[in-house]
Amino acid sequence: MHLKKNVKNQCEMDKRISEAGFMAVSHCKTENECVLLAKRLVSKGIFSMEIPYRGEENFNVADKCIRAVRESVPEMLIGGATAINPAIARRAVRSGAHFVISPGFNIKTVQYCIHRAIPIYPGVATPSEIENALLFGLTTLKFFPAHCLGGVKTLSSLLGPFPNVRFIVSGGLNAENYQEYKNCKNVAAVSGSWLSE
């Protein structure tokens, strides 16, 4: 039952993120600042954002930001980001995150989310990690750090062996180069802090 629900939730969120096409990364220091950012993003047509958990001293701020944006900007999709373990994933979802996103592939975090029907976007950097994600039924993944991993050339190479996998691309993207990533057939969305500037 949980697995069927997870597949449905994951597929629905995959579609919504792909439709959004952009995922802004927030570096806000307060919930008020984050709400203002979310409203500004929506006004520019950006309907998805990551609120990162970076540094334990900032975790409470991330919790508050997720809650505030969820309440004040309901049209915004919110990802609890930098979820490098199940504990962070848990607090992000409890705070109201629609999905969890991480820089790497932590099998315990993936299992935690899947068993609770929480959409999860683990980071991958190699074909082996992509294959591991496919074993869990995940077909939209975070490709990070994209620029350091060969960027568009690598994404094009991955299209052959993984034609049904799509990527949220992050790491080294900016206002000057994001369009070349957007043009890749296997890119669901582009992500970065430049979208929040």
Side-chain angles (χ1 to χ4, degrees):
M1 181 66 178
H2 283 298
L3 292 179
K4 287 184 179 178
K5 184 179 179 184
N6 179 71
V7 169
K8 181 183 178 185
N9 288 357
Q10 187 77 44
C11 288
E12 287 177 355
M13 191 57 63
D14 290 357
K15 182 180 178 183
R16 291 180 70 185
I17 287 173
S18 182
E19 288 172 349
F22 293 90
M23 189 177 294
V25 177
S26 165
H27 291 297
C28 296
K29 305 295 184 189
T30 68
E31 58 263 45
N32 290 337
E33 186 183 349
C34 204
V35 167
L36 289 174
L37 171 62
K39 288 180 177 179
R40 182 162 55 85
L41 290 170
V42 167
S43 74
K44 296 195 303 183
I46 297 172
F47 294 92
S48 179
M49 69 187 297
E50 298 181 26
I51 297 179
Y53 284 83
R54 291 182 185 165
E56 287 190 30
E57 67 278 7
N58 299 315
F59 282 9
N60 288 334
V61 172
D63 291 340
K64 291 176 183 178
C65 286
I66 290 172
R67 289 191 193 101
V69 173
R70 182 72 189 258
E71 182 178 330
S72 301
V73 194
E75 60 269 49
M76 177 62 75
L77 286 177
I78 309 163
T82 326
I84 60 174
N85 56 54
I88 296 175
R90 183 186 307 116
R91 71 184 297 157
V93 173
R94 286 180 177 174
S95 295
H98 295 97
F99 60 90
V100 170
I101 189 163
S102 60
F105 192 93
N106 182 319
I107 192 168
K108 290 185 177 180
T109 305
V110 170
Q111 289 173 329
Y112 174 85
C113 290
I114 285 177
H115 291 156
R116 289 159 182 80
I118 301 163
I120 170 77
Y121 299 95
V124 295
T126 67
S128 295
E129 290 171 329
I130 296 170
E131 289 180 13
N132 282 334
L134 289 172
L135 289 175
F136 288 95
L138 302 175
T139 57
T140 298
L141 309 166
K142 180 171 181 172
F143 183 60
F144 174 83
H147 187 68
C148 295
L149 295 171
V152 170
K153 288 183 179 179
T154 300
L155 286 165
S156 298
S157 297
L158 292 171
L159 187 59
F162 305 109
N164 298 320
V165 175
R166 303 193 76 205
F167 299 98
I168 299 166
V169 184
S170 179
L173 278 70
N174 55 49
E176 285 71 44
N177 68 10
Y178 81 87
Q179 192 60 54
E180 60 183 306
Y181 286 94
K182 285 281 286 180
N183 291 339
C184 294
K185 293 181 180 179
N186 54 352
V187 170
V190 292
S191 173
S193 56
W194 97 92
L195 290 165
S196 300
E197 295 172 356

